[in-house]
Amino acid sequence: ARAWAKSTTPSPYLQHFQSNHVAWDNNFSYTYSFLGGVMFAYPTKWVKPRIDFSFENRTHPIYVSASDWKPRQFDGNVQIITGDVGLDITTPWVNLENRVIIQHTTNDSVLPVPLAILQHRLYYHGTWFKALDAQIGVDLRYFTKYHAPVICPATGMFATQQETNVGNYPWMNVYANFYVRSIHLRFFFHYQHLSYWFQQKSTGYQLMPNYPSNRDVFRIGLAWHFYN
């Protein structure tokens, strides 16, 4: 079990700012946060389950609005409820790692979060010819649609918005890592955003509004350490 409470003084940057495009002069009060949570885990040799539940309350949180790109202070409380479930399956050759996060916020315009986040990883690991360490696998990430914050170029701060949804799109990568112990040589093959192949008609591969991710990319890397 865990719990903490803290009081934070707003930074001078949020209180007073002047530039060619944006300016503000605020008198924000302290912000207060409280979090309580509990985690249950029962790891064994082959299976490692975990359940984590937390509740967080933020009083008078400060956020930036995309309507005028200026920070504001919410006069009230915002709660976030989070459930985090993990299940890892380990064998001498193959590992499967799973994580599912379910979240709920009481105010989407102040503190937006996706309802669900999924992270999965399946990989083989072993030693070939008693000298070559190999790891070959695939990983998948996904989150549901939500009003993700947008970047403000004038200040470099993230601002909340209620116009554009991002998410509901899978990101899949395939990789192979190799390490030659005797000569300290490491090389890898990485195919990023493999899901682009079967989602080419989708415009949803954005991590934040108006900033699409790169399409599929194949990378090769090599690192050789000349030391004993």
Side-chain angles (χ1 to χ4, degrees):
R2 67 189 185 280
W4 52 257
K6 64 181 178 180
S7 173
T8 305
T9 302
S11 69
Y13 181 73
L14 295 174
Q15 300 282 30
H16 310 285
F17 181 77
Q18 185 76 34
S19 71
N20 294 332
H21 305 283
V22 184
W24 59 73
D25 190 12
N26 300 312
N27 187 24
F28 292 145
S29 61
Y30 289 87
T31 63
Y32 304 94
S33 301
F34 168 79
L35 181 139
V38 61
M39 182 181 70
F40 301 92
Y42 189 76
T44 64
K45 182 179 180 180
W46 306 106
V47 182
K48 299 176 177 61
R50 176 182 55 82
I51 300 176
D52 193 342
F53 175 81
S54 64
F55 170 83
E56 183 177 359
N57 180 81
R58 300 187 183 182
T59 304
H60 302 153
I62 297 174
Y63 66 101
V64 179
S65 174
S67 60
D68 56 5
W69 306 111
K70 296 181 179 181
R72 301 177 181 179
Q73 187 163 39
F74 180 67
D75 186 17
N77 298 279
V78 178
Q79 291 85 32
I80 305 174
I81 301 173
T82 305
D84 188 344
V85 180
L87 178 62
D88 297 344
I89 301 176
T90 303
T91 71
W93 302 281
V94 179
N95 282 18
L96 175 62
E97 301 174 359
N98 302 282
R99 187 180 182 187
V100 178
I101 302 173
I102 305 297
Q103 305 172 115
H104 173 70
T105 176
T106 57
N107 196 320
D108 184 70
S109 61
V110 175
L111 189 60
V113 294
L115 175 63
I117 301 174
L118 282 70
Q119 298 176 355
H120 304 283
R121 187 183 179 200
L122 175 65
Y123 61 93
Y124 158 85
H125 61 92
T127 301
W128 298 353
F129 313 111
K130 299 181 180 181
L132 180 64
D133 295 334
Q135 185 183 86
I136 304 172
V138 57
D139 62 75
L140 174 68
R141 294 174 295 141
Y142 170 88
F143 59 86
T144 55
K145 282 187 175 182
Y146 78 112
H147 293 107
V150 62
I151 190 71
C152 174
T155 61
M157 302 172 66
F158 284 97
T160 61
Q161 52 87 27
Q162 294 292 306
E163 297 179 356
T164 306
N165 278 317
V166 299
N168 194 27
Y169 182 91
W171 277 269
M172 183 182 296
N173 304 311
V174 178
Y175 60 90
N177 303 321
F178 301 95
Y179 179 65
V180 184
R181 304 177 188 176
S182 58
I183 58 176
H184 308 289
L185 174 65
R186 186 183 304 274
F187 58 98
F188 71 87
F189 305 93
H190 191 185
Y191 200 145
Q192 293 180 311
H193 199 178
L194 176 65
S195 47
Y196 177 83
W197 275 100
F198 50 86
Q199 295 279 343
Q200 293 188 23
K201 296 182 179 181
S202 174
T203 59
Y205 53 99
Q206 300 183 28
L207 294 177
M208 65 180 181
N210 307 319
Y211 285 85
S213 302
N214 292 327
R215 55 165 295 170
D216 56 322
V217 178
F218 180 69
R219 302 180 186 275
I220 300 176
L222 175 67
W224 198 341
H225 301 280
F226 294 95
Y227 62 87
N228 295 324

